[in-house]
Amino acid sequence: MPTPYGSRGGMAFSAAELHVLRRSLAHALQSSTAPLTAPEVQDCLRLAASVDDAVLEAGRLRAFLLDDLARYRAALPGSLSGYLELLQDALAAGYEPLPDDLAALRALRANPVAGAVLERARAVAGHSVRRRLATGTAPAAAPAPRTRLLALAGGKEQPTPPPPKPVPAKEPPARPVPTPGEVFPPRRKPTPPPAAGRAAV
């Protein structure tokens, strides 16, 4: 199973996983449309599921490290050495310092190591602000979940069917339909013949 490598989202693959990955990429780059064999499809699906698990594990690891950093920051100044060590590791992994980090470092800048980390954190924060202003993006958020692998022929995953087309509304008839009573009027009872004229007097 792939494992997270560092806090920048890197992955470490085994030799067998790299073989599956290389074979899948080679098949994707071929001009032929020949489908993969059933075992190859299952290998690819297993690798995709393993990568999903590794991505989730990397997210959990990053959340744990950030919580640890916040705990050390809350325990300053007694946790100075541990906080500075964790913060330097986080900055090296792409962490953008929070205003709380900068405030804590400013309060501790009498310490030479804290002063050096403060300068580095200021540079990272300034670069982050300039990048967001240039691109018009919001601060970095949690990455979106990776799309499931659905494009392999013969895989178990099936694409979702398209939504049904809306049924057009029935148009009203041009003229009203006559009722059966209008088409077939009821028969009237025959009227008795007129009585014979009165006898002459």
Side-chain angles (χ1 to χ4, degrees), residues 16-193:
E17 290 165 345
L18 286 176
H19 179 69
V20 173
L21 187 59
R22 184 179 62 182
R23 188 173 57 199
S24 303
L25 291 175
H27 183 272
L29 293 173
Q30 288 176 357
S31 58
S32 66
T33 57
L36 292 169
T37 63
E40 290 174 333
V41 169
Q42 294 306 315
D43 288 343
C44 292
L45 290 175
R46 277 192 293 269
L47 180 59
S50 298
V51 170
D52 285 336
D53 292 340
V55 169
L56 292 175
E57 182 61 28
R60 286 192 292 268
L61 178 60
R62 179 175 176 82
F64 172 79
L65 293 176
L66 293 181
D67 288 344
D68 212 16
L69 182 64
R71 283 193 294 270
Y72 272 81
R73 184 175 58 238
L76 287 172
S79 60
L80 176 61
S81 60
Y83 172 70
L84 293 177
E85 183 179 351
L86 283 175
L87 183 57
Q88 290 181 84
D89 291 343
L91 292 173
Y95 171 70
E96 296 179 2
L98 301 176
D100 289 345
D101 294 310
L102 298 175
L105 290 172
R106 279 194 294 268
L108 300 167
R109 60 186 162 189
N111 182 293
V113 179
V117 176
L118 174 61
E119 294 303 318
R120 183 178 177 189
R122 280 177 174 168
V124 172
H127 176 72
S128 175
V129 169
R130 287 191 297 272
R131 174 177 52 80
R132 288 199 297 268
L133 290 176
T135 58
T137 57
R146 194 174 66 85
T147 305
R148 298 289 299 175
L149 182 62
L150 300 176
L152 291 176
K156 291 183 180 179
E157 300 282 355
Q158 297 293 332
T160 55
K165 295 182 179 179
V167 179
K170 294 183 179 180
E171 296 181 359
R175 60 183 182 82
V177 179
T179 64
E182 294 173 342
V183 177
F184 305 104
R187 293 183 179 179
R188 298 185 180 184
K189 295 181 179 180
T191 57

